[in-house]
């Protein structure tokens, strides 16, 4: 594939237009096609010019882009790939992916866009050649390629730009950096729809979810908001919340909601992803999602608490996020425009995540959700066939979604709802458009009360409430003295009588998981106290006593200072 010997040492170039000399074999003695590729000659010295001219030629490659310091191209997921990825990353067959350009493929792309020549000393003339390997490698590792288009993501249906216009022309969209690859034929989107058309469009979208037993209309609006967010993602300059679909029992339809949203957006069901308990596995999944430029990730059957450090950062990411690369120990800052979906039974939302999610809930009154009678459905004919229905109706559903959004934009984007901190641009478009069209406000479905309780905060509250009985003089306790008071050898052996501190001990063990018969780890408990220092928990806070000696911290609990005239909850 590459030149050898002296050829790799002779690296200056001369670009000139070339004309092919071969004769095509075709009926009626057709003339050979004109070869318009530039000619790059390999000469001694100045290899950077070879690199520059090759990059200039590569600008004509319609499927070559740059993204996050890599040259990439778009390829559909094969059956083998979708199976091989397995539980780490589930991708439906046929999904277009953004893939890093392998060096051998880049070599082929270079030769497709340019002709290469070297001087033959024996013949005394220039002859055909291959691009030298080190030129190809220099191009592959350059990190920035002037004139090569930047690819932000892939669309498979018409979408919205930030100025309110619609992406309907297949191919690369210069304004947004997305490539539109339609996988079916879509009707045109009305340019100037009125509000009554928006109302009709919303009714059409709501009809998809009409047979789910939502707790309230706002819960249905969460599904509508998730669908609109996927379709309008290029128009939203900023972060988008995660959309969780919760239920009180298995089999009630929470996963089907997410699958229906994905099917409308992509034309394919599937793409569900197990929510891993191991944080490292979750990091790998999110890194793979970012690397592929995936439009969404759909976590199915969430067990345990939703929300961890990396996941929370991804949800809040404005346009990029630092993630670990799969198979490597390095962290890389990568573009992030992915919408996060999830479903589960009685999902527990973490303390740092609940401000970043909308939680739509369905409730079935039946012990077995499949006991629900057909007479309870508005569309019993869709039972078990909802995904087939939405895929068949997908073109009109996409147009309905864009009609709703366009009508809202044409009306001047009138303010309709409150804001959502960190997601202001999204809230000004998606929830506002839904409410303007007569729908319920999905912002009402931010987790509150029991849905967003934080076990660590609850444990700390119990500790603070019981603290004064151990430290009656308010002089403070070290972590070691606290442990020795509560976890004596007799108590660990089960030989001590009840002392009224059972809840406090249980709370400490919630903060620092501990094996039976052993004392909690003092360092880990100290880390938890430092993390909670100064935080208002039920009107109290834990703080370090000033003037600690020999590096030993003494902890004290006190009431949180409040402005005069305001009540405190500490008693």
């Amino acid at each position: 594939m590459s030149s050898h010997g002296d050829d790799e040492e002779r690296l200056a170039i001369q670009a000139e237009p070339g004309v092919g000399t071969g004769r095509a074999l075709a009926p009626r003695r057709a003339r050979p096609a004109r070869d318009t590729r530039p000619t790059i000659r390999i000469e001694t010295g100045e290899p950077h010019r070879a690199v520059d001219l090759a990059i200039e030629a590569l600008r004509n490659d319609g499927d070559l882009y740059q993204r996050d310091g890599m040259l990439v191209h778009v390829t559909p997921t094969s059956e083998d790939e979708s199976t091989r990825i397995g539980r780490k990353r589930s991708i439906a067959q046929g999904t277009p992916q953004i893939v890093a350009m392998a060096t051998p493929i880049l070599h082929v792309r270079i030769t497709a866009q340019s002709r290469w020549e070297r001087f033959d000393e024996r013949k005394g003339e220039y002859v055909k050649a291959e691009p030298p390997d080190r030129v190809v490698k220099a191009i592959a590792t350059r990190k920035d390629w002037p004139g090569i288009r930047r690819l932000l993501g892939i669309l498979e249906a018409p979408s919205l730009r930030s100025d309110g216009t619609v992406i309907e022309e297949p191919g690369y969209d210069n304004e947004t950096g997305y490539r539109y690859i339609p996988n079916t034929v879509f009707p045109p989107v009305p340019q100037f729809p009125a509000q009554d058309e928006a109302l009709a469009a919303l009714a059409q979208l709501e009809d998809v979810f009409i047979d789910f037993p939502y707790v309230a209309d706002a819960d249905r609006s969460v599904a509508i908001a998730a669908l609109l967010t996927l379709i309008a993602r290029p128009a939203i300059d900023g972060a988008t919340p995660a959309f969780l679909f919760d239920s009180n029992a298995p089999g009630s339809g929470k996963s089907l909601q997410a699958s229906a949203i994905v099917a409308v957006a992509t034309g394919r069901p599937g793409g569900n992803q197990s929510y891993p308990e191991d944080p490292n596995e979750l990091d790998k999944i999110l890194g793979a999602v970012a690397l592929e430029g995936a439009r969404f990730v759909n976590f199915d059957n969430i067990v345990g608490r939703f929300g961890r450090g990396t996941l929370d950062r991804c949800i809040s990411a404005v346009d990029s996020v630092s993630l670990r690369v799969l198979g490597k120990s390095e962290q890389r800052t990568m573009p992030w425009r992915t919408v996060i979906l999830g479903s589960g039974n009685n999902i527990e939302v973490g303390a740092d995540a609940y401000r970043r999610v909308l939680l739509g809930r369905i409730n079935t009154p039946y012990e077995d959700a499949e006991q629900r009678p057909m007479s309870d459905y508005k569309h019993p004919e869709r039972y078990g066939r909802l995904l087939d229905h939405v895929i068949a109706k997908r073109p009109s559903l996409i147009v309905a979604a864009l009609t709703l959004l366009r009508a809202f934009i044409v009306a001047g984007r009138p303010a309709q709802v409150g804001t959502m901190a960190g997601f202001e641009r999204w809230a000004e478009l998606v929830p506002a458009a839904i409410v303007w069209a007569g729908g319920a406000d999905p912002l009402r479905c931010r987790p509150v009360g029991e849905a967003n309780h934080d076990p660590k905060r609850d444990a700390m509250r119990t500790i603070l409430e019981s603290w004064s009985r151990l430290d009656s003089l308010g002089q403070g306790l070290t972590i070691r003295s606290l442990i020795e008071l509560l976890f004596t050898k007799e108590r660990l052996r089960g030989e001590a009588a009840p002392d009224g501190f059972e809840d406090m001990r249980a709370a400490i063990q919630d903060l620092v998981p501990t094996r039976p018969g052993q004392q909690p780890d003092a360092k880990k408990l100290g880390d938890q106290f430092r993390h909670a220092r100064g935080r208002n928990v039920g009107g109290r806070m834990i703080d370090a006593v000033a003037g600690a000696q020999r590096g030993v911290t003494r902890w004290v609990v006190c009431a949180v200072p409040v402005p005069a005239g305001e009540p405190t909850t500490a008693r």
Side-chain angles (χ1 to χ4, degrees):
M1 293 292 289
S2 63
S3 54
H4 300 280
D6 293 340
D7 296 336
E8 290 201 358
E9 299 300 323
R10 301 159 65 86
L11 290 176
I13 38 64
Q14 176 181 348
E16 59 183 23
V19 179
T21 56
R23 187 174 298 276
L25 298 177
R28 300 181 183 178
R29 303 179 64 178
R31 293 183 179 181
R34 178 180 175 83
D35 189 345
T36 59
R37 295 176 299 167
T39 298
I40 302 176
R41 286 180 171 174
I42 303 168
E43 298 286 0
T44 303
E46 299 185 348
H48 64 280
R49 294 189 61 216
V51 172
D52 290 343
L53 283 178
I55 291 174
E56 185 176 341
L58 284 171
R59 296 172 189 169
N60 295 318
D61 189 322
D63 185 33
L64 180 67
Y65 308 91
Q66 58 177 309
R67 173 185 170 87
D68 184 37
M70 297 186 301
L71 285 173
V72 299
H73 62 118
V74 178
T75 182
T77 304
S78 68
E79 182 177 2
D80 290 342
E81 288 174 325
S82 61
T83 301
R84 176 169 50 81
I85 291 170
R87 66 181 292 271
K88 286 187 177 180
R89 178 81 178 98
S90 178
I91 305 174
Q93 182 181 353
T95 302
Q97 291 185 82
I98 300 173
V99 180
M101 181 74 70
T103 303
I105 301 300
L106 178 60
H107 186 115
V108 174
R109 296 292 185 96
I110 292 171
T111 59
Q113 300 301 328
S114 57
R115 297 187 305 167
W116 290 72
E117 293 181 350
R118 64 176 178 83
F119 189 76
D120 189 311
E121 299 280 356
R122 292 178 300 172
K123 294 183 178 180
E125 61 182 9
Y126 284 94
V127 297
K128 291 181 179 180
E130 295 281 347
D133 280 349
R134 59 180 180 169
V135 169
V136 177
K137 291 177 181 177
I139 295 170
T141 57
R142 183 177 174 128
K143 301 297 183 184
D144 184 63
W145 300 266
I148 302 296
R149 298 170 297 181
R150 298 183 183 275
L151 184 62
L152 192 56
I154 303 169
L155 305 170
E156 297 178 87
S159 189
L160 201 66
R161 300 185 183 94
S162 58
D163 65 359
T165 58
V166 178
I167 303 170
E168 293 185 275
E169 187 69 26
Y172 182 79
D173 186 66
N174 287 305
E175 184 175 332
T176 61
Y178 280 79
R179 180 175 168 185
Y180 174 31
I181 308 173
N183 49 17
T184 190
V185 178
F186 295 93
V189 178
Q191 287 192 338
F192 302 102
Q195 189 172 17
D196 60 344
E197 293 175 87
L199 269 65
L202 178 61
Q204 186 177 352
L205 297 176
E206 289 180 334
D207 186 67
V208 171
F209 305 98
I210 198 68
D211 280 324
F212 291 97
Y214 291 103
V215 172
D217 289 342
D219 296 273
R220 180 179 293 106
S221 286
V222 173
I224 304 297
L227 177 56
L228 293 180
T229 302
L230 270 173
I231 294 171
R233 188 63 183 95
I236 302 168
D237 297 325
T240 60
F243 300 90
L244 302 183
F245 303 100
D246 193 25
S247 68
N248 65 334
S252 53
K254 80 277 182 184
S255 298
L256 184 58
Q257 291 175 89
S259 295
I261 291 165
V262 169
V264 174
T266 68
R268 292 177 301 275
N272 294 350
Q273 172 65 57
S274 298
Y275 185 73
E277 296 182 10
D278 183 356
N280 292 325
E281 283 295 313
L282 180 59
D283 288 357
K284 291 177 184 178
I285 292 170
L286 295 172
V289 166
L291 207 58
E292 297 159 7
R295 294 183 61 197
F296 70 91
V297 58
N298 181 18
F299 291 112
D300 192 26
N301 290 320
I302 295 171
V303 177
R305 187 164 52 170
F306 179 86
R308 299 166 188 162
T310 304
L311 179 59
D312 294 344
R313 284 191 290 110
C314 286
I315 300 172
S316 297
V318 173
D319 53 19
S320 63
V321 67
S322 179
L323 292 168
R324 184 180 304 169
V325 180
L326 185 63
K328 300 181 181 180
S329 59
E330 66 180 271
Q331 292 265 30
R332 279 175 46 187
T333 299
M334 294 181 277
W336 182 268
R337 306 286 286 179
T338 302
V339 178
I340 296 176
L341 310 174
S343 59
N345 297 316
N346 297 315
I347 299 173
E348 180 184 343
V349 181
D352 292 329
Y354 79 89
R355 298 179 182 87
R356 299 172 168 93
V357 307
L358 295 182
L359 188 73
R361 183 169 173 84
I362 55 179
N363 249 348
T364 177
Y366 303 100
E367 182 176 357
D368 182 349
E370 294 185 357
Q371 294 176 341
R372 184 181 178 186
M374 287 295 107
S375 59
D376 195 27
Y377 290 85
K378 181 178 180 180
H379 298 293
E381 73 282 359
R382 295 182 193 169
Y383 181 78
R385 299 181 178 86
L386 180 62
L387 297 184
D388 293 337
H389 168 76
V390 298
I391 290 174
K393 298 293 185 180
R394 178 175 174 243
S396 63
L397 291 171
I398 292 288
V399 171
L402 289 169
T403 298
L404 192 162
L405 293 168
R406 276 290 303 158
F408 175 69
I409 292 167
V410 169
R413 306 182 188 233
Q416 300 290 312
V417 298
T419 190
M420 184 172 182
F423 307 94
E424 291 85 357
R425 294 291 182 87
W426 169 84
E428 291 169 0
L429 177 63
V430 173
I434 292 173
V435 173
W436 180 77
D441 184 0
L443 293 181
R444 289 164 50 193
C445 290
R446 285 175 283 187
V448 294
E450 290 300 316
N452 68 14
H453 81 279
D454 178 4
K456 288 188 177 182
R457 182 180 59 192
D458 294 344
M460 186 59 70
R461 183 192 300 269
T462 300
I463 293 170
L464 301 191
E465 288 175 349
S466 302
W467 189 277
S468 62
R469 290 192 289 140
L470 286 176
D471 182 27
S472 58
L473 299 179
Q475 296 177 343
L477 298 169
T478 66
I479 295 294
R480 177 52 59 191
S481 61
L482 175 67
I483 291 175
E484 292 296 338
L485 285 169
L486 293 176
F487 298 89
T488 63
K489 293 181 180 179
E490 293 78 14
R491 190 163 301 282
L492 293 175
R493 291 195 299 263
E495 299 172 353
D499 60 358
F501 288 105
E502 286 78 13
D503 288 345
M504 191 175 186
R505 274 186 285 269
I508 290 174
Q509 290 171 327
D510 285 341
L511 286 179
V512 183
T514 305
R515 292 182 179 180
Q518 293 186 5
Q519 290 184 333
D521 186 287
K523 181 180 183 304
K524 292 181 178 179
L525 184 57
D527 289 342
Q528 292 292 336
F529 278 21
R530 278 184 285 275
H531 181 70
R533 181 180 180 182
R535 180 183 179 185
N536 186 337
V537 181
R540 298 178 177 87
M541 69 177 185
I542 192 163
D543 202 357
V545 177
Q549 298 179 351
R550 298 186 302 276
V552 177
T553 303
R554 297 181 67 84
W555 296 95
V556 65
V557 172
C558 54
V560 176
V562 294
E566 292 189 13
T568 176
T569 57
R571 292 191 300 269

